[in-house]
Amino acid sequence: MALRRFIHIILNPAAGSRNRALLDAVAARLKAAGADVTIELTRAPGHATELARAAARSGKADVIVAAGGDGTINEVARGLLGQGVPLGILPLGTANVLAIEIGLPLKAENIASMLLGGPAELIGTGLVEGEIFLLMVGIGFDGEIVHGIDPKLKRLWGKGAFIWSGLKTWVRGPGHEISLAVDGREKQAAWAIVTNARHYAGPFVLAQKAKITEPGLTLFLFRKKSRLAFAVYLAALGLGLVERLRSVEVMPARVIEFRAPKGLAVEVDGDERGFLPQRIEQGKQFLRMVVPG
């Protein structure tokens, strides 16, 4: 295919401040290849969605690039759903799970090459209360971790802020009595994750057979509530063995109603997204995304 000429970048300045050198190097390579590069800065949560929608409707962009973490990418994707312009990513976040998922090295030459000429593939999506997600939804343990992160510590420590919040959540007691219905079947869990992707929290493999380019959600229900059980869950995640644990139930899911306990924290693609009750379902629309060639 011909190289893309008009590249519109939507930058989360909080994420970009830690990775300015990568951003500048990618932009320089794009311009050197003859691309017209526009950069817009987000000002508040949700602003990236508005900017992406407006850029897509302008008809002046060949690709709209989310420059930030997985949360910023989620916001830009929401603005592009149903539009003809593909999503591109410039990973500047803490975990960069989507970049790992599509096999994108965090190097300027790889990112620029992908944005200029990489194929645009359809990827599956999920919905949380009607709003799309690309990667995962966490209910309980990881939801509380994300909600408990101090933004100042996140800017200073990066992944260390997640680890510190995780330790505090684990000491406090990580398990909950979660009530849900999966495609009409009643279930209970101490922690739940709904994933659209293979990877979770960085390079860790959660769902061995999942592919973001194929539709379908996978539900993980962690049954045991103790601190020891959660230590085992995290160790298994690090080894890619979660699906082998007897205390973890894994199943495909189309519609999941998380009912209780009310007020339990929820995270979506690494950002906090309210509290239970919430409805999660398989997305009805695909999203076009540029991937490495």
Side-chain angles (χ1 to χ4, degrees), residues 274-286:
F275 307 90
L276 294 189
Q278 293 201 25
R279 175 186 171 97
I280 299 171
E281 57 191 311
Q282 184 176 320
K284 299 176 176 62
Q285 292 178 286
F286 281 84

Side-chain angles (χ1 to χ4, degrees), residues 176-180 187-192 221-223 225:
H176 297 274
E177 295 182 1
I178 301 172
S179 299
L180 61 142
K187 297 286 183 179
Q188 299 286 325
W191 176 28
L221 297 177
F222 301 80
R223 295 198 192 97
K225 295 171 57 178

Side-chain angles (χ1 to χ4, degrees), residues 1-5 7 30 62-63 65 86-89 102 104 109-122 288-293:
M1 62 171 289
L3 294 182
R4 298 181 178 91
R5 290 191 56 209
I7 298 178
L30 294 175
D62 295 322
V63 60
V65 181
L87 166 72
I89 65 171
I102 64 174
L104 176 64
E109 58 268 31
N110 297 95
I111 297 169
S113 177
M114 179 190 73
L115 296 178
L116 287 166
E121 293 191 6
L122 294 175
R288 292 181 69 221
M289 186 173 77
V290 176
V291 299

Side-chain angles (χ1 to χ4, degrees), residues 16-228:
S17 64
R18 296 198 307 271
N19 299 277
R20 190 75 197 188
L22 178 60
L23 171 67
D24 291 344
V26 171
R29 286 175 178 271
L30 294 175
K31 291 175 182 177
D36 186 335
V37 179
T38 301
I39 299 177
E40 280 193 295
L41 303 185
T42 64
R43 295 194 299 268
H47 189 213
T49 301
E50 298 174 19
L51 294 178
R53 188 176 293 118
R57 290 176 176 173
S58 73
K60 298 177 181 179
D62 295 322
V63 60
I64 297 174
V65 181
D70 290 313
T72 301
I73 295 169
N74 178 290
E75 286 196 15
V76 173
R78 279 187 260 165
L80 296 183
L81 195 66
Q83 307 285 347
V85 186
L87 166 72
I89 65 171
L90 202 171
L92 302 177
T94 304
N96 297 314
V97 180
L98 186 56
I100 294 169
E101 186 73 16
I102 64 174
L104 176 64
L106 299 185
K107 296 181 179 179
E109 58 268 31
N110 297 95
I111 297 169
S113 177
M114 179 190 73
L115 296 178
L116 287 166
E121 293 191 6
L122 294 175
I123 64 170
T125 61
L127 296 173
V128 183
E129 293 292 299
E131 292 189 339
I132 74 165
F133 69 93
L134 303 181
L135 296 168
M136 86 295 287
V137 183
I139 296 90
F141 181 52
D142 52 348
E144 292 186 315
I145 290 173
V146 171
H147 279 247
I149 289 174
D150 184 328
K152 292 181 180 178
L153 288 182
K154 185 178 179 182
R155 286 194 294 271
L156 291 172
W157 292 1
K159 292 180 181 179
F162 284 86
I163 295 171
W164 176 243
S165 182
L167 285 172
K168 291 192 295 181
T169 303
W170 182 80
V171 169
R172 190 166 59 240
H176 297 274
E177 295 182 1
I178 301 172
S179 299
L180 61 142
V182 187
D183 297 326
R185 295 169 290 166
E186 299 294 327
K187 297 286 183 179
Q188 299 286 325
W191 176 28
I193 298 173
V194 184
T195 184
N196 185 50
R198 186 169 182 261
H199 293 86
Y200 173 86
F204 307 112
V205 174
L206 176 65
Q208 294 281 354
K209 296 180 181 179
K211 291 183 179 179
I212 201 167
T213 52
E214 297 179 1
L217 302 178
T218 305
L219 173 64
F220 287 77
L221 297 177
F222 301 80
R223 295 198 192 97
K224 294 184 178 180
K225 295 171 57 178
S226 70
R227 293 184 184 89
L228 177 59

Side-chain angles (χ1 to χ4, degrees), residues 203-269:
F204 307 112
V205 174
L206 176 65
Q208 294 281 354
K209 296 180 181 179
K211 291 183 179 179
I212 201 167
T213 52
E214 297 179 1
L217 302 178
T218 305
L219 173 64
F220 287 77
L221 297 177
F222 301 80
R223 295 198 192 97
K224 294 184 178 180
K225 295 171 57 178
S226 70
R227 293 184 184 89
L228 177 59
F230 272 71
V232 172
Y233 294 151
L234 295 176
L237 177 61
L239 296 171
L241 301 175
V242 171
E243 291 174 296
R244 298 188 185 184
L245 296 179
R246 293 183 179 180
S247 60
V248 179
E249 188 174 2
V250 185
M251 68 195 79
R254 295 186 66 85
V255 179
I256 312 158
E257 297 277 0
F258 285 95
R259 298 167 177 166
K262 292 183 178 180
L264 185 61
V266 176
E267 66 92 2
V268 175
D269 290 354

